[in-house]
Amino acid sequence: TITGEPGPNYEAVQQYIKQYGADTELSVASGAAPARIGLYYHFDSSWCYQLSVGDRLNYTDYTVNTVYKTLYEAHTGLIDIFYSAGQIGQHELIAVSLHTIYDPQLEQRLIAYVHAGGKLIVTADLFRKDDRNVYLTEIPRLFRELLDWHENNFVTDGIPERRAVYLTHKSGQGQTWLLARDASQEEWLEVIETALEA
C-alpha cells in the first residue's frame, strides 16, 4: 500500500509463494525452456497510429487482441515481447504487426534472422514512414531480400485488391509472410499454423 502497511492481498500472496514459489515451472532459476515465438512491439509506430485519427486501426488493441491473442491460441506457450532489434533471438517465429516506422537496425536484424532459418510474419504497412512520420520515397531492401518485391512502390499499391496474405517468400533458410495490415484473427491463425508446421 501507499503507507507501507500490508494490504488485504498481502497474506494471500505470501501464502501462494510459500506453497508454490519454489516449485514453479516458470521460475527463471529453474531454466524454463525459452519461448519459440516472439512478438515485436514498437512504441513509435503505436504513436503514429494514435496520431492518425482517421485510421480505424488502434495499434495497441490490434497488437494485443488480434496478434498476441492469436499467437497464444495457436501456440499456448511462452511468447517473448521485443522492444528493440537486439532482443531478437533464436525464435522459431516472430510477428511484427503495424510497424510503420522504418528502423534500419531492425531491418538488418530481420533479414539476418530469416536467412538463418527464422519464420517472419509482417503486415503490409511495414516500414512505410520515416521517424518524422513522413512516407518513404524508396522501398526498404527488406522487401527485395525477404519478399522478392522489386517495384519501387509498396505492395498494397502494386496489388490493389485486398488479400489476407499478399506475399510469401523463402529466403536463405527461412520464410516471410506479408499479411494485410487489418488481417483478422482467423487470417493470422491460418498463417501462424502454416508457419509453425513448415
Side-chain angles (χ1 to χ4, degrees):
T1 65
I2 295 173
T3 64
E5 295 297 318
N9 294 324
Y10 180 80
E11 280 301 319
V13 172
Q14 291 299 311
Q15 184 61 34
Y16 181 87
I17 291 171
K18 286 178 189 173
Q19 186 172 356
Y20 302 107
D23 297 327
T24 179
E25 292 181 11
L26 298 179
S27 170
V28 174
S30 73
R36 291 174 57 206
I37 294 179
L39 172 63
Y40 201 93
Y41 190 96
H42 190 240
F43 289 100
D44 287 348
S45 291
S46 173
W47 280 105
C48 176
Y49 267 94
Q50 188 171 345
L51 291 171
S52 300
V53 293
D55 200 321
R56 63 182 178 86
L57 282 177
N58 178 294
Y59 180 95
T60 303
D61 287 345
Y62 183 81
T63 302
V64 172
N65 295 319
T66 299
V67 184
Y68 177 85
K69 185 176 179 181
T70 308
L71 286 168
Y72 182 81
E73 289 174 356
H75 173 56
T76 62
L78 293 176
I79 298 170
D80 284 337
I81 308 296
F82 309 126
Y83 303 100
S84 71
Q87 294 176 300
I88 294 175
Q90 301 299 317
H91 296 80
E92 181 178 348
L93 172 70
I94 293 177
V96 182
S97 62
L98 306 185
H99 193 308
T100 192
I101 303 296
Y102 178 66
D103 179 342
Q105 289 181 320
L106 178 61
E107 177 183 51
Q108 181 59 41
R109 182 65 192 103
L110 293 176
I111 291 170
Y113 164 77
V114 172
H115 285 172
K119 299 167 185 174
L120 176 65
I121 303 174
V122 297
T123 52
D125 59 343
L126 180 70
F127 296 160
R128 279 185 169 250
K129 298 180 179 182
D130 65 18
D131 60 359
R132 294 169 294 143
N133 201 25
V134 176
Y135 283 98
L136 299 179
T137 57
E138 187 175 330
I139 303 303
R141 73 183 179 99
L142 177 145
F143 287 85
R144 291 187 305 277
E145 294 199 25
L146 298 187
L147 292 162
D148 198 31
W149 183 259
H150 298 280
E151 297 183 31
N152 194 34
N153 60 0
F154 287 98
V155 175
T156 52
D157 298 333
I159 306 174
E161 71 275 7
R162 195 242 187 233
R163 299 180 183 177
V165 179
Y166 283 96
L167 298 169
T168 183
H169 184 70
K170 291 183 179 180
S171 9
Q173 298 175 2
Q175 188 166 352
T176 305
W177 289 261
L178 183 75
L179 273 64
R181 72 183 189 105
D182 61 349
S184 67
Q185 281 185 275
E186 293 77 18
E187 290 167 337
W188 271 95
L189 183 60
E190 186 174 342
V191 173
I192 291 165
E193 288 178 341
T194 300
L196 291 174
E197 290 169 4

